[in-house]
Amino acid sequence: MNNFIAHTEKTINEMLESINLNSVEDLYKVVPVNFETFRMGNPLSEMEVQKNIKSLAKKNRTDFVSFVGGGVYNKFIPAGVNYLAQRFEFLTAYTPYQPEISQGTLQIIYEYQTMIARLTGMDIANASLYDAGSACAEAVLMAYRISKGKKNKALISNKLNPRYKEVVKTYCWAGGIEIEWFDTIPQSCEDYCCVLVQNPDYYGEINVINKTETILIVCADISSLAILEPPYNADIVVGDVQPLGICMSFGGPHAGYMACKEEYMRQMPGRLIGASLDADGNRAYTLTIQTREQHIKREKATSNICSNQSLIALSATIYLSLMGEKGFRQASILSAKLAHMLAKKLIKIGVKVFNKNFYNEFVIEVKNANEVLNKLKAANILGGIKLDERKILVCTTEMNTEEEINTYVSNI
């Protein structure tokens, strides 16, 4: 029996040609022949390594006050979230191959799905995806399948998070879906498989989103749904659960959420947990409506995602349980109040604020964005995301204080 080789010589040559290389060996030319250039030094004991790592870690600055958003937010995380999520019963190395054995994990994910469905106003939610970017992309592919492949064009907002855009472009390129970008939704969009918008959009603006003639996908900040009306006009709602008790961690790992109307349930990618009864009549949780093609016949799979971000979804569920409906809403109200307080104070000193309606992020215009951000950094403040030479995207959460806001304003 011969070993299976995925790529033929022809395929290998085509891939090499596409990246301007002549052979597979050329891929490794970047690796130094002389490993002394790495300057690894002499071997160290475990104790010496620990001391060395700690001294290197001290070089990191972790005490900045953050006014940075853009998809990753500095949110309050109750101590119980990590304490419970890191218990050995949940903190496993991989998804169980016989998931029904893990009734505790399945119950948590079932509760997670219920919470996401309630927050988004949708009928059903899946067990999570990788992040908001892949959730947006999967939603576009889902809409394409709903059209039965007859509509291979998607309308996508220019005001979508730039990182999500890149993921969507990659998925659509591979799926043969043409993207048309827009600033305002066209009056007629029935020839498109979907319309994808973000609300609040990347620049923080809250938009009124009306029903469209085709599948409407809304990428929503999950924390904003504590005080904003759910996007009931949507057919599919996606986003990231990072604001739900997940630390920023240099940008990951996160988990994406996806919820939709019941009629589209069988086209939803990933896993879905359902509740049933076992042979003895006791309540039991199980994977349900999961097409086996996802594991066996790749060409028929709804997605390449056969798993989910269980631990992150677990943390989000614990967070919502600990905060409760009232606490979750209070945190979002505080985030919004602080953002509007900051905006008003900036306007008062002559800084232009572009947004009219916003939740906790807004765009300001200054004379020189680099100078302002450097001045704020010197005052121990991460002042926001530079959009261009004059514009900065600013964000507040419940973690900010009025004193920090005053310091921010005084350093503009």
Side-chain angles (χ1 to χ4, degrees):
M1 182 176 179
N2 295 324
N3 289 332
F4 172 73
I5 299 175
H7 305 304
T8 63
E9 282 295 323
K10 181 183 176 184
T11 305
I12 293 170
N13 289 331
E14 287 174 352
M15 288 192 291
L16 289 169
E17 185 180 348
S18 69
I19 56 175
N20 299 318
L21 296 179
N22 297 317
S23 67
V24 174
E25 287 70 27
D26 288 346
L27 291 167
Y28 303 97
K29 283 186 176 180
V30 294
V31 180
V33 177
N34 183 3
F35 283 92
E36 290 181 4
T37 57
F38 284 116
R39 297 178 183 175
M40 295 181 69
N42 297 322
L44 301 173
S45 68
E46 180 182 351
M47 183 174 66
E48 290 170 324
V49 169
Q50 286 183 2
K51 287 183 178 180
N52 191 28
I53 295 298
K54 285 179 181 178
S55 66
L56 291 172
K58 288 179 181 178
K59 295 181 179 181
N60 291 325
R61 288 287 306 279
T62 60
D63 58 341
F64 284 106
V65 174
S66 178
F67 286 85
V68 179
V72 182
Y73 303 97
N74 181 32
K75 303 286 287 182
F76 170 71
I77 303 173
V81 173
N82 290 330
Y83 176 79
L84 293 172
Q86 291 178 14
R87 286 183 61 91
F88 72 91
E89 296 97 327
F90 296 119
L91 195 60
T92 58
Y94 195 68
T95 302
Y97 281 100
Q98 291 178 298
E100 279 69 27
I101 293 174
S102 306
Q103 283 293 297
T105 297
L106 292 183
Q107 180 179 353
I108 284 283
I109 300 303
Y110 183 84
E111 300 294 345
Y112 162 83
Q113 292 172 175
T114 304
M115 290 174 176
I116 295 297
R118 280 190 61 192
L119 284 169
T120 58
M122 293 289 103
D123 298 323
I124 194 164
N126 71 7
S128 78
L129 299 169
Y130 290 137
D131 53 24
S134 61
C136 287
E138 290 286 358
V140 174
L141 296 186
M142 181 176 165
Y144 175 65
R145 291 192 301 274
I146 292 170
S147 77
K148 298 181 179 178
K150 295 177 181 178
K151 300 177 182 179
N152 69 334
K153 293 191 296 182
L155 275 170
I156 300 178
S157 171
N158 269 321
K159 296 175 183 177
L160 186 68
N161 187 307
R163 293 155 196 82
Y164 305 169
K165 281 184 181 180
E166 293 303 311
V167 180
V168 172
K169 284 194 286 188
T170 301
Y171 273 61
C172 288
W173 170 81
I177 300 171
E178 180 184 341
I179 296 176
E180 288 189 20
W181 304 97
F182 68 85
D183 292 315
T184 304
I185 300 176
Q187 287 187 343
S188 178
C189 49
E190 59 184 347
D191 294 331
Y192 299 88
C193 67
C194 66
V195 173
L196 169 58
V197 296
Q198 184 172 348
N199 195 45
D201 62 33
Y202 178 67
Y203 305 103
E205 192 71 14
I206 298 170
N207 301 288
V208 176
I209 301 172
N210 298 315
K211 180 65 181 168
T212 60
E213 299 168 297
T214 187
I215 297 292
L216 176 59
I217 304 166
V218 175
C219 178
D221 178 346
I222 195 73
S223 70
S224 73
L225 297 179
I227 54 177
L228 299 181
E229 188 174 89
Y232 293 116
N233 287 327
D235 297 288
I236 305 170
V237 184
V238 295
D240 207 300
V241 301
Q242 185 273 328
L244 306 182
I246 314 301
C247 61
M248 294 187 287
S249 300
F250 299 96
H254 290 175
Y257 73 83
M258 177 182 282
C260 70
K261 292 182 176 177
E262 188 174 0
E263 61 193 285
Y264 305 126
M265 177 171 55
R266 290 190 175 274
Q267 289 300 334
M268 181 181 284
R271 289 187 162 185
L272 188 66
I273 309 302
S276 185
L277 299 176
D278 64 14
D280 299 320
N282 298 315
R283 189 173 179 83
Y285 300 92
T286 179
L287 289 177
T288 186
I289 314 178
Q290 185 184 19
T291 54
R292 287 292 293 169
E293 286 82 5
Q294 287 190 238
H295 302 284
I296 301 168
K297 298 178 181 178
R298 287 179 293 176
E299 69 276 9
K300 291 187 178 181
T302 55
S303 168
N304 67 341
I305 295 176
C306 298
S307 185
N308 63 286
Q309 292 279 53
S310 296
L311 190 64
I312 308 297
L314 164 76
S315 298
T317 309
I318 296 171
Y319 168 86
L320 288 170
S321 301
L322 291 174
M323 294 291 283
E325 187 173 337
K326 185 178 179 180
F328 182 44
R329 181 176 171 80
Q330 284 178 335
S332 297
I333 289 173
L334 185 55
S335 296
K337 280 185 174 180
L338 289 167
H340 285 262
M341 178 193 296
L342 175 57
K344 287 176 181 177
K345 287 177 179 286
L346 289 172
I347 291 170
K348 194 172 182 179
I349 63 169
V351 176
K352 183 176 180 180
V353 173
F354 283 86
N355 302 64
K356 294 181 180 179
N357 301 299
F358 60 94
Y359 163 50
N360 70 331
E361 291 182 269
F362 56 93
V363 177
I364 63 172
E365 184 176 61
V366 293
K367 290 182 179 180
N368 187 308
N370 284 331
E371 284 185 9
V372 168
L373 291 174
N374 287 334
K375 188 178 178 182
L376 287 167
K377 191 172 182 180
N380 214 45
I381 291 173
L382 298 178
I385 298 172
K386 177 185 172 184
L387 299 177
D388 60 31
E389 296 308 313
R390 300 190 64 178
K391 294 186 184 70
I392 301 172
L393 178 63
V394 184
C395 173
T396 67
T397 70
E398 68 274 18
M399 296 292 281
N400 296 111
T401 65
E402 186 172 352
E403 182 182 356
E404 291 168 355
I405 285 171
N406 290 334
T407 304
Y408 188 105
V409 175
S410 65
N411 281 277
I412 286 288

